[in-house]
């Protein structure tokens, strides 16, 4: 499927699945990954100095698989990074660093469309149109807005934080994708995207493909090494709970060996009773491809220390080459920026067509050629 091929509701039938890992709870519907050759899109914010192991295992590894099967668009959503106070220089550096880690982690700019969100102005332009068909109550019910505004206080929370989901919807709908590989904490935003697409289509005529979210089972959620009931996050309460892609081999091993485990000595998977060990098993499984059951059998009768030592070795072997390749890419920022510019041009080829149709449908007067 080419980037400028026409998209219709009949292109793919993605409405049925038997895979519990790719389930969303909206109206009891279960959803599977799109068929081979379909178009998918996803992005990851440049909000920290480095991607962490949760980003790598939970998203990037799956994106690399995705580009083998689908027409893939991957982007760095830097516009989302200014919904809270930020340092402009840090944002610029982190955006470039995130792009380098994407490529080092296996995203191929020749096979996939890789770009920076702000390089494609159609994102902000479509977001305004979608904001105008979104209800205040609908936007305010988004979990992330409620959580962040509760922490910051309503007066301190920006309007950008409220309208964040409409920009996210624009990020998706611009490219008329069949599917959106997302973490399970983003399902609510994808459901809003689907609702807005259907609402626009109903009011103005068929325009948007209504995309399906699909959520990988393995690595969909990696937990903090020090607080194994909390998702691994850049805002971790302790740096020891977070494995960054740019960590040294020594630091990675030290963090894993210091990871919180559980009472007893039995190595088994039980997210409720043994969250610490279960998290280590999940990471091991995601990094090596071994099943949880296989790992439990392999470590039967062994101590937690054995599991941690082996896990540290396989994580270092996985993360180390990505870190080193990232540094090579960052050493030549001109070449990296050229790759991103090329990706933005490819993205605009598709995005501009969608926006032109949207502008025509809502009644904007087209600009006459000069």
């Amino acid at each position: 499927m080419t980037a400028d091929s026409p998209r219709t509701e009949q292109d793919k039938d993605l409405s049925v699945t038997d895979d519990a890992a790719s389930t969303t709870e909206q109206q009891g519907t279960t959803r599977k990954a799109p068929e081979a050759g379909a178009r998918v899109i996803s992005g990851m914010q440049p909000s920290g100095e480095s991607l962490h192991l949760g980003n790598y295992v939970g998203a990037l590894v799956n994106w690399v698989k995705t580009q083998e099967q689908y027409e893939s668009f991957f982007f760095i959503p830097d516009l989302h990074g200014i919904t809270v106070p930020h340092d402009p220089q840090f944002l610029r550096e982190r955006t470039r660093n995130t792009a380098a880690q994407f490529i080092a982690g296996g995203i191929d700019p020749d096979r996939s469309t890789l770009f920076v969100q702000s390089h494609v102005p159609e994102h902000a332009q479509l977001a305004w149109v979608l904001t105008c068909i979104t209800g205040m109550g609908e936007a305010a019910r988004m979990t992330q807005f409620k959580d962040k505004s509760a922490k910051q206080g309503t007066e301190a929370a920006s309007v950008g934080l409220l309208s964040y989901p409409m920009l996210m919807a624009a990020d998706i709908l611009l490219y008329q994708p069949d599917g959106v590989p997302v973490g399970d904490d983003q399902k609510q935003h994808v459901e809003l995207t689907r609702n807005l697409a259907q609402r626009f289509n109903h009011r103005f005529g068929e325009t948007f493909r209504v995309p399906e979210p699909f959520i990988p089972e393995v690595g969909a959620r990696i937990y903090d090494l020090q607080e194994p009931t909390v998702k691994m996050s850049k805002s971790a309460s302790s740096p020891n709970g977070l494995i960054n892609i740019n960590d040294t081999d020594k630091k990675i091993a030290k963090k894993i060996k210091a990871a919180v485990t559980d009472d007893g000595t039995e190595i088994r998977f039980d997210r409720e009773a043994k969250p610490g060990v279960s998290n280590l098993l999940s990471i091991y499984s995601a990094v090596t491809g071994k099943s949880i059951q296989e790992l439990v059998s392999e470590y039967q009768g062994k101590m937690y220390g054995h599991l941690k030592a082996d896990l540290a070795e396989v994580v270092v072997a996985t993360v180390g080459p990505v870190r080193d390749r990232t540094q090579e890419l960052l050493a030549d920022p001109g070449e990296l920026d050229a790759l991103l510019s090329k990706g933005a041009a490819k993205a605009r080829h598709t995005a501009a067509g969608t926006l032109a149709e949207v502008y025509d449908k809502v009644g904007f007067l087209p600009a006459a050629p000069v």
Side-chain angles (χ1 to χ4, degrees), residues 89-163:
Q89 183 59 31
F90 283 174
L91 176 61
R92 191 172 295 113
E93 291 174 357
R94 290 171 179 178
T95 299
R96 187 179 280 120
N97 191 62
T98 299
Q101 290 185 334
F102 278 9
I103 297 171
I107 298 301
D108 183 351
D110 291 326
R111 174 170 289 181
S112 301
T113 301
L114 174 63
F115 62 99
V116 175
Q117 182 188 36
S118 63
H119 293 177
V120 182
E122 287 83 0
H123 285 254
Q125 291 171 289
L126 179 58
W128 173 248
V129 175
L130 297 179
T131 298
C132 291
I133 65 169
T134 305
M136 278 291 294
E138 191 173 29
R141 284 194 296 272
M142 294 292 102
T143 301
Q144 288 196 14
F145 173 74
K146 290 195 294 185
D147 290 348
K148 291 183 179 180
S149 60
K151 291 178 182 177
Q152 299 174 9
T154 305
E155 292 301 317
S158 71
V159 175
L161 190 60
L162 179 67
S163 60

Side-chain angles (χ1 to χ4, degrees), residues 270-350:
D270 186 331
R271 186 65 77 185
E272 296 297 322
K274 300 178 79 69
V277 171
S278 297
N279 188 37
L280 298 181
L281 288 169
S282 292
I283 294 171
Y284 205 136
S285 175
V287 169
T288 65
K290 292 184 178 182
S291 69
I292 297 291
Q293 293 80 3
E294 184 180 355
L295 290 169
V296 169
S297 297
E298 186 176 330
Y299 285 93
Q300 186 174 6
K302 295 184 179 181
M303 306 296 288
Y304 291 157
H306 296 115
L307 174 63
K308 288 182 176 182
D310 292 346
L311 177 59
E313 185 176 330
V314 298
V315 171
V316 164
T318 299
V319 171
V322 178
R323 176 196 61 227
D324 296 343
R325 175 59 178 148
T326 297
Q327 293 307 312
E328 291 175 5
L329 290 163
L330 291 173
D332 188 354
E335 177 62 24
L336 180 58
D337 290 353
L339 288 173
L340 294 174
S341 180
K342 181 181 176 180
K346 289 169 61 179
R348 292 201 72 184
H349 181 67
T350 299

Side-chain angles (χ1 to χ4, degrees), residues 217-284:
E217 179 177 11
V218 176
R221 189 177 284 253
I222 298 298
Y223 292 82
D224 189 290
L225 295 177
Q226 293 300 309
E227 298 181 75
T229 58
V230 177
K231 189 178 77 166
M232 187 173 284
S233 169
K234 297 167 187 173
S235 58
S237 59
S238 167
N240 292 327
L242 187 67
I243 295 176
N244 288 311
I245 298 301
N246 64 359
D247 280 345
T248 63
D249 293 350
K250 184 177 181 180
K251 186 176 288 188
I252 292 170
K254 183 177 181 180
K255 288 179 178 180
I256 291 175
K257 291 175 182 179
V260 168
T261 48
D262 312 289
D263 293 337
T265 59
E266 183 184 8
I267 296 176
R268 61 185 174 87
F269 189 89
D270 186 331
R271 186 65 77 185
E272 296 297 322
K274 300 178 79 69
V277 171
S278 297
N279 188 37
L280 298 181
L281 288 169
S282 292
I283 294 171
Y284 205 136

